[in-house]
Each structure stands twice: as structure tokens, then as C-alpha cells.
Amino acid sequence: MSDKKFTTPSGVVTDAGIAADFDSAQRFDKVLVGSLGVYYRDGFKTKYVPYADLERAFIRVQEVNGRMCCGKAVFHYFRLVFVVGGKEWGDVISEDEKATDDALAEIAHRSPATAIGFVK
């Protein structure tokens, strides 16, 4: 399985250790949290954010106001955002608030050097 490609902030890598970590990573909706980093799909690519590169992770709540035939409705989407090199490198959108919160808690547990949540 070492032929699997992962897109990282520094380019595409193919590594058997990363592939094994990907296979054993814990799944939280669309995000996989492993012992080496965080994995998620972005189009046809599998993105990999190593904990060594991950500066900050936080959740952005996106509110969408919908007009329906019978009135209005409000929908909430939760984006798990990854900051690398001082910029938002990627995010994963989900409707499952608990899965997003659990993924962020697992990232905080596995990578204590990563800033979690709001930072001034």
C-alpha cells in the first residue's frame, strides 16, 4: 500500500509509514486523525497535515439562512480548519458537530504543540 500518494503542505509524498498510519487512523466523519497527522479527502486528493507542520486547528461555524416555500430555516455547517505557515491550508466541512468537536479534541490530545481554537 506504499504507492498511495498524500498531498502535504510541502508537496506530494509516497511513504509506507504514512500509508500505514492512514489505514489505522481514527475516523471522525470526513476527517481521519492518526498518530502522525490528520488526513482528509479534497476532490481526488488525499491531504495529509503532519503534526510537525500544523500550527493551529479550530472550528468555524457557518450559518446558512434558507428560504423555503413554507418559511425560513437556518442550517449550521462546521468547518475544521488547519493553519500551516500562518495561513489556512485546508478545511473540512461537516454537518456533524459532535464529530468535528471529537476530531479537534483528538488532534489536541495527539499534538500538544498545536494551538487549538481561538488565538489572539
Side-chain angles (χ1 to χ4, degrees), residues 91-103:
D91 66 24
V92 181
I93 190 168
S94 175
E95 293 179 11
D96 190 349
E97 181 180 12
K98 181 174 177 359
T100 309
D101 288 340
D102 291 346

Side-chain angles (χ1 to χ4, degrees), residues 3-49:
D3 59 338
K4 185 160 182 64
K5 294 180 181 178
F6 298 94
T7 303
T8 69
S10 57
V12 177
V13 296
T14 304
D15 185 294
I18 295 171
D21 185 51
F22 173 79
D23 291 337
S24 65
Q26 188 174 1
R27 178 176 289 280
F28 299 95
D29 195 19
K30 299 174 185 176
V31 176
L32 286 89
V33 180
S35 59
L36 300 177
V38 182
Y39 307 89
Y40 64 97
R41 297 284 300 171
D42 185 17
F44 293 113
K45 298 177 183 177
T46 301
K47 291 208 172 180
Y48 162 58
V49 186

Side-chain angles (χ1 to χ4, degrees), residues 51-119:
Y51 292 133
D53 295 346
L54 186 60
E55 296 172 9
R56 184 163 75 109
F58 63 93
I59 297 172
R60 176 179 289 141
V61 180
Q62 181 177 355
E63 183 178 288
V64 178
N65 296 313
R67 290 187 90 175
M68 309 288 194
C69 61
C70 55
K72 296 181 180 180
V74 177
F75 303 98
H76 291 99
Y77 295 100
F78 305 92
R79 292 181 173 270
L80 185 57
V81 182
F82 307 109
V83 177
V84 174
K87 297 181 180 179
E88 292 182 10
W89 188 72
D91 66 24
V92 181
I93 190 168
S94 175
E95 293 179 11
D96 190 349
E97 181 180 12
K98 181 174 177 359
T100 309
D101 288 340
D102 291 346
L104 190 62
E106 186 66 22
I107 291 168
H109 172 71
R110 292 183 183 253
S111 178
T114 301
I116 302 295
F118 177 74
V119 177

